[in-house]
Amino acid sequence: MTSTIRSAIVADPGHTLLALDFDGTLAHIVDDPTRAFAHPRSVDALARLGAVLGQVAIVTGRPVPQALELGGFEGRAGLERLVIYGQYGAERWDAADGTTTRPDRPEPIVRLAGLLPDWLAERGAGDVRIEDKGLAIAIHTRGVGDGLLDTLRAPLSDLAAELGLAVEPGRQVIELRAPGNDKGDAVRRLVAALGAKQVVFAGDDLGDLPAFAAVEELRASGVGGLLICSASTEQDALVSRSDIVLEGPDAVAGWLEELADEF
Ligand SMILES: [Mg+2]
């Protein structure tokens, strides 16, 4: 199956969508998320692929400005048509004209931002890092204490339900965001816009599962789909659903280079 779709991509690159998650897939997970830069070899390979494939896209939980800063995609030759879906598909950036479309900050997020610091302190979690993404708020527990994430999981779910927000769990992070967007929606929109006949998606974490599900659905409707897991010791939920399992961002870079070498 893997070799069949690879041949289809090489034969018909113009109808191929290559979509990738950012953290843990293009960039190594590091203690300081503001230093999680995209693997330079992956960016080089994406620039080569961007020139030949119908569409290359990044689909990430990060806000678009962070993905741009950490990815070094802007102004890069070969990535003139890159699309970035940020915040799980809620915002979109087009390299072609440099514009970002972003909905207004949801009212429940405004309320959450106001109450969260005290709420966490009352639960002995005053040391966690709160990241306000605008459309979502993430609570990061990396480096703060093993088990804290598990302790916070149920009360945060209750709080989210109270405010009408969705919960997005991840590797040492729980994010609360407005419901209605996920990475699967972003993949479906990209496939529809291109009329893609082949779609490749690579991810590493629970937030990528809706994109995996979208590719599985697309396969059932005749689109060629290739699912890649960027594996880690922290999360194995994607492994059994993947066609290719790669050992983290270094291996993802190698795989992208091999694909780029086909052209
Ligand atoms: Mg990720």
Side-chain angles (χ1 to χ4, degrees), residues 21-25 183 204-205 208:
D21 164 55
F22 190 84
D23 290 275
T25 303
K183 291 190 178 189
D204 76 306
D205 206 348
D208 299 308

Side-chain angles (χ1 to χ4, degrees), residues 159-224:
L159 179 62
E162 238 172 76
L163 294 169
L165 293 168
V167 177
E168 189 72 56
R171 292 166 63 180
Q172 294 297 323
V173 60
I174 296 179
E175 187 165 320
L176 273 58
R177 60 185 175 85
N181 274 293
D182 63 38
K183 291 190 178 189
D185 299 326
V187 167
R188 283 184 209 95
R189 279 183 289 225
L190 288 161
V191 165
L194 180 65
K197 294 178 181 164
Q198 295 81 230
V199 54
V200 181
F201 185 87
D204 76 306
D205 206 348
L206 299 175
D208 299 308
L209 286 172
F212 270 49
V215 172
E216 287 159 358
E217 284 164 30
L218 286 157
R219 265 182 194 153
S221 70
V223 175

Side-chain angles (χ1 to χ4, degrees), residues 78-94:
L79 295 178
E80 295 88 350
R81 295 178 292 112
L82 181 71
V83 169
I84 300 177
Y85 273 108
Q87 305 210 41
Y88 299 93
E91 22 171 56
R92 174 181 166 127
W93 176 83
D94 280 89

